[in-house]
Amino acid sequence: MTQEKFCPQCGTKLPADAVFCRNCGYKFSEQPQTPQQTQSTPTPQPTSTTTNWWAFLNSPNFKKWATIGGVAIGLALVVIITMNVIFQKQQEAKQKAEQASIARVSRSRSSSESKIQSTERRLSKDAVDVVTNMIQDDFDLDAKATDVTVERHTGGDHYSGYASVEDDYGDSTSVDINITDVKYEKSVSVEIPDTSTLYDEFDSND
């Protein structure tokens, strides 16, 4: 059986006694090739990661920085919690202030409305005699006011509404009136803008 060998440079199969490679011209050594004995090299032992970590965790530097980091984190948490509490307190105080303001406005409005309503009731009662006197004395008509209704407050001491008027014969009508609350005289002043309906409906006192 013919022995063969391979060119170490290009891998071409050659006779065992070939001096040159016919493909790439590689020159073989004159000394016979002897296979090198494989020497067992010691496998490097991997460094224990666990051991290194334990050594790092137990080092003075790590303990120092861990303490500093823990303190910093603790202070940050304290600051965050404190700011959150302050913010919540501020929001609660703001809400309470808004509610108190709304309550004050509501009470003031209710009080103002109550005073106006009270004044309107008083004017309605006092104006009946004033309207009657105007009809009988100023207009010389045989009729009297039976009721006065104040409908709205037109500003200041001025109000408006209407008076129900009737005579002894069953004739009746109503007229618009303007009322002024004359506080310094403790009385009311009444104006009847249109008296035509009174003259059309009622007879003279004569």
Side-chain angles (χ1 to χ4, degrees), residues 120 149-154 158-162 177-179:
E120 289 176 351
T149 300
V150 178
E151 293 183 305
R152 60 185 177 275
H153 179 210
T154 57
H158 303 287
Y159 300 80
S160 65
Y162 62 90
I177 60 174
N178 296 321
I179 306 172

Side-chain angles (χ1 to χ4, degrees), residues 1-66:
M1 181 177 179
T2 304
Q3 295 182 350
E4 296 177 337
K5 62 182 179 180
F6 295 89
C7 175
Q9 183 167 304
C10 65
T12 301
K13 184 185 295 185
L14 300 169
D17 58 352
V19 179
F20 295 94
C21 175
R22 62 172 177 269
N23 183 48
C24 65
Y26 177 79
K27 183 179 179 180
F28 289 92
S29 174
E30 293 181 355
Q31 294 181 357
Q33 298 290 326
T34 58
Q36 295 181 354
Q37 293 183 353
T38 305
Q39 296 181 355
S40 61
T41 56
T43 303
Q45 296 295 324
T47 303
S48 174
T49 304
T50 305
T51 303
N52 290 340
W53 271 108
W54 275 114
F56 172 72
L57 293 177
N58 289 322
S59 66
N61 285 337
F62 174 79
K63 291 181 179 180
K64 174 183 176 182
W65 288 108

Side-chain angles (χ1 to χ4, degrees), residues 89-131:
K89 294 294 184 182
Q90 289 176 341
Q91 290 297 109
E92 291 176 358
K94 182 178 179 181
Q95 291 179 354
K96 289 181 179 179
E98 290 177 351
Q99 292 174 354
S101 177
I102 293 173
R104 285 195 299 270
V105 172
S106 178
R107 287 195 299 269
S108 176
R109 185 176 300 169
S110 298
S111 177
S112 177
E113 291 176 352
S114 177
K115 289 180 180 178
I116 291 174
Q117 292 171 355
S118 177
T119 301
E120 289 176 351
R121 288 193 296 269
R122 177 175 59 81
L123 293 178
S124 295
K125 179 180 178 181
D126 295 344
V128 172
D129 292 337
V130 177
V131 173

